[in-house]
């Protein structure tokens, strides 16, 4: 099995407790590491994915300062790739976007708990929500991918927030 990255950039892993969501995410993280991608793990305070905190090839963040720093570094990458995408669209070469972006090193951002993360971003002192809303809304074909985990029954904790609505509107995941 594989996840078609040309058609996917937001992927929600949702299910009941103890059904393999975290194990699936860990397999995806390992696969991204094997592809020599930039990998970021955004972990909830209880450290569900703390195993990656010591992994040198992973940007592991679990607090507001770390998230803000990571997203600040991602902003110029997204802007550069968005300019290239818009240039190709302007040249009526939409079919070439994925091929061009595939030449860039991919970014995979794994969020250990969407029901914690989304409200956290909106209540943070540092403003990250505008950037995330923009990336998730317009991020298709930038070679930047988001994988978020959520336990069934906790959707209401994130529902109504623009980031979550954009994420799930995309309609991919398991």
């Amino acid at each position: 099995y594989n996840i078609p990255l040309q058609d996917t950039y937001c992927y929600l892993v949702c299910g009941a407790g103890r059904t393999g969501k975290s194990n699936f995410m860990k397999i995806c993280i390992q696969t991204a590491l094997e592809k020599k991608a930039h990998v970021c793990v955004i972990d909830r305070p209880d450290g569900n994915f703390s195993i990656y905190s010591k992994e040198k090839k992973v940007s592991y963040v679990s607090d507001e300062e770390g998230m803000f720093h990571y997203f600040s570094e991602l902003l110029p990458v997204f802007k550069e790739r968005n300019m290239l995408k818009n240039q190709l669209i302007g040249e009526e070469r939409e079919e070439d976007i994925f091929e061009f972006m595939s030449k860039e090193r991919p970014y995979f951002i794994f969020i250990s708990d969407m029901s914690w993360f989304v409200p956290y971003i909106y209540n943070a002192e540092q403003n990250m929500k505008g950037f995330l809303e923009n990336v998730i809304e317009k991020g298709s074909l930038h070679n930047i991918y988001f994988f978020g985990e959520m336990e069934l029954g906790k959707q209401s904790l994130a529902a109504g927030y623009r980031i979550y609505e954009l994420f799930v509107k995309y309609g991919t995941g398991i």
Side-chain angles (χ1 to χ4, degrees):
Y1 298 103
N2 67 39
I3 298 170
L5 297 178
Q6 184 170 358
D7 303 321
T8 305
Y9 72 99
C10 291
Y11 201 83
L12 184 64
V13 182
C14 189
R18 309 212 36 86
T19 57
K21 297 178 303 298
S22 294
N23 286 333
F24 176 80
M25 292 278 282
K26 289 174 183 175
I27 290 168
C28 290
I29 292 168
Q30 290 305 126
T31 301
L33 288 170
E34 289 175 16
K35 292 184 173 290
K36 305 206 182 332
H38 293 276
V39 174
C40 177
V41 172
I42 300 174
D43 205 359
R44 62 186 187 219
D46 68 357
N48 189 37
F49 287 177
S50 62
I51 188 172
Y52 294 103
S53 66
K54 294 179 175 84
E55 173 64 53
K56 293 177 183 176
K57 298 175 187 173
V58 172
S59 296
Y60 177 86
V61 297
S62 60
D63 61 15
E64 182 177 334
E65 183 179 326
M67 283 182 230
F68 185 79
H69 178 75
Y70 182 78
F71 292 134
S72 295
E73 290 182 350
L74 186 59
L75 177 61
V77 173
F78 178 74
K79 283 183 176 180
E80 181 181 313
R81 293 181 184 190
N82 199 47
M83 285 176 41
L84 175 58
K85 179 181 173 181
N86 288 332
Q87 176 186 340
L88 291 168
I89 290 170
E91 296 170 2
E92 298 182 4
R93 298 176 56 197
E94 289 91 347
E95 69 280 353
D96 295 334
I97 295 171
F98 185 75
E99 180 183 337
F100 271 79
M101 293 298 178
S102 294
K103 296 174 186 171
E104 301 293 332
R105 189 172 174 204
Y107 282 77
F108 286 87
I109 300 157
F110 296 92
I111 303 165
S112 71
D113 184 354
M114 291 291 286
S115 65
W116 161 79
F117 173 76
V118 173
Y120 187 85
I121 291 297
Y122 282 90
N123 292 309
E125 290 183 22
Q126 300 186 67
N127 186 2
M128 298 174 266
K129 66 182 181 208
F131 170 69
L132 282 168
E133 288 172 353
N134 194 34
V135 169
I136 291 171
E137 182 175 26
K138 300 174 182 162
S140 177
L141 298 174
H142 284 76
N143 213 10
I144 299 171
Y145 306 98
F146 289 86
F147 285 69
E149 181 178 328
M150 179 175 280
E151 190 170 325
L152 268 179
K154 292 191 176 182
Q155 297 96 323
S156 64
L157 298 173
Y161 290 101
R162 185 164 162 73
I163 289 172
Y164 179 71
E165 298 302 326
L166 290 167
F167 199 101
V168 298
K169 178 182 173 187
Y170 190 64
T172 57
I174 58 171

